[in-house]
Amino acid sequence: MLTTIELENFRNHKDFRLELSPVTAIIGKNGVGKSNILEAIYLVSACRSFREDDRRNLVMIGNDFARIKADELEIFIQNAPTFLLRAKENGAFRKQSDFIGTKKSVIFSPEMILLINGSPRLRRRFLDIMISQSERHYLKEVMAFEKVRAERNSLLQKIFEHRAQTDELDFWNKEFISLGQSIVEARLLAIKKLNKRLSSLYRSVSGNPKDKLQIEYENSAPEGLEEAIKQNIWREIRSKRSLFGPHRDDLVFNLNDKPMASFASRGECRSAILALKIAELEFLTDENDKPMLLLDDLFSEFDLDRRSHLSKLIENYQTVLTTTDSSYLVDIKECKVVEL
């Protein structure tokens, strides 16, 4: 269990310390920095923010650095002279690929509904962070793939500008295909695990015993990455970028065999995300460790039935939640309340 979180120059928190309990509720008006505390905990888990804005905004305006301490773990963020994010464990620097998942967590906020109808990048990011917290070698492969993709894109541009030959792609194609296939295989395995539980979890939320929720993986190269590149190499050269691979793949949420992005109501989307987050918690749980549950102002978004499901979840995981209204906490047992 995480016992303490300390923030220095992080977002709007100049000097903040919080001792955590099995369930900690942070209450305050909008804009006081409740979500920033959850963001800091998530950064310790994933070395990534669950928000999409510039990472430089993590550092309080007017300061060059920020620091997050969570027991023996630490994240240091530097803005000047260049951006830098470093991780430490027990005072020793760790590579992000070795650090991620040391303290696992699952974030659940109203914005998570965008996983269903937002951009493909959000869905890929969700899946990559979830797998990385469970399998550290996966993040290493993703980071290696992005480096190879950058080199390959640079070479594609040079070929387009007649400053390089097509046979120079052979080495980068081999690395690109090998890493890309490995990433896709890991994603497919993760989705298979999620799909085993999604329908039953969704039915428990919706109350309809016939509902079926599944995630479909949309592969940008269904015929295989090697074949896609072979058949479309000149198209890639004209585009000056890699058009196929895990960076172009997507996830589709299907409810009763229909794509939710096109047909689902907002209530159905909320139920689907609740089911997905429960499945994510289970995915990251092993016999020696449970992830933390981070709930960002969800009770005001959910109806009574969905709030009841959240309350049951809280009983099984260390939880940090935020809310503007303390009345939502009446059904939560042994909850430490902190007012900002």
Side-chain angles (χ1 to χ4, degrees), residues 23 25 27 299 304 307-308 310-312 314-315 321 323-337:
V23 180
I27 300 177
F299 287 93
L304 186 60
R307 289 202 298 268
S308 176
L310 285 180
S311 297
K312 291 178 183 177
I314 290 170
E315 294 177 3
L321 64 92
T323 182
T324 58
D325 188 346
S326 60
S327 66
Y328 293 125
L329 306 178
V330 293
D331 294 326
I332 300 176
K333 301 175 183 177
E334 299 180 12
C335 177
K336 176 180 179 177
V337 178

Side-chain angles (χ1 to χ4, degrees), residues 158-206:
K158 289 178 181 178
I159 295 171
F160 179 79
E161 296 170 349
H162 306 290
R163 295 189 291 119
Q165 302 298 315
T166 55
D167 59 5
E168 295 179 52
L169 279 170
D170 291 347
F171 171 79
W172 295 111
N173 283 348
K174 183 178 179 180
E175 294 293 305
F176 184 86
I177 291 166
S178 176
L179 289 165
Q181 289 175 338
S182 182
I183 290 169
V184 170
E185 288 172 4
R187 288 177 175 178
L188 289 172
L189 181 60
I191 289 174
K192 184 178 180 180
K193 290 181 179 179
L194 292 176
N195 279 337
K196 285 182 178 180
R197 291 285 291 138
L198 273 179
S199 287
S200 61
L201 290 170
Y202 183 87
R203 287 193 290 265
S204 70
V205 176
S206 71

Side-chain angles (χ1 to χ4, degrees), residues 108-131:
F108 195 176
S109 68
E111 292 79 11
M112 292 293 130
I113 200 169
L114 292 174
L115 287 174
I116 291 176
N117 51 30
S119 73
R121 180 176 179 272
L122 292 175
R123 290 182 284 277
R124 290 192 298 266
R125 189 169 180 268
F126 155 75
L127 192 59
D128 287 345
I129 291 176
M130 184 190 74
I131 300 172

Side-chain angles (χ1 to χ4, degrees), residues 62-73:
N63 293 272
D64 295 331
F65 75 93
R67 181 179 284 109
I68 304 165
K69 290 184 178 180
D71 291 348
E72 74 281 3
L73 307 177

Side-chain angles (χ1 to χ4, degrees), residues 4 26 28 30 33 56 80 82 150 204 224 246 270 272 292 312 332 337:
T4 306
I26 303 170
N30 292 327
R56 293 179 181 273
T82 58
S204 70
R270 285 172 172 164
M292 290 184 68
K312 291 178 183 177
I332 300 176
V337 178

Side-chain angles (χ1 to χ4, degrees), residues 10 18 91 96 120 122 164 207-208 255 298 340:
F10 182 79
L18 175 62
Q96 290 185 31
L122 292 175
N208 188 338
L255 179 59
L298 272 182
L340 293 187

Side-chain angles (χ1 to χ4, degrees), residues 245-306:
H247 63 294
R248 299 295 296 269
D249 296 350
D250 197 2
L251 310 181
V252 177
F253 290 82
N254 291 319
L255 179 59
N256 300 324
D257 299 319
K258 293 182 179 180
M260 296 192 71
S262 301
F263 296 99
S265 68
R266 189 168 181 84
E268 288 171 331
C269 288
R270 285 172 172 164
S271 294
I273 294 299
L274 177 54
L276 176 67
K277 287 298 171 177
I278 299 172
E280 183 184 358
L281 285 165
E282 294 178 356
F283 182 93
L284 292 176
T285 297
D286 59 44
E287 58 184 12
N288 299 315
D289 189 27
K290 282 187 175 183
M292 290 184 68
L293 176 59
L294 309 176
L295 302 177
D296 190 15
D297 200 20
L298 272 182
F299 287 93
S300 61
E301 291 282 325
F302 280 4
D303 58 22
L304 186 60
D305 286 341
R306 294 186 183 94

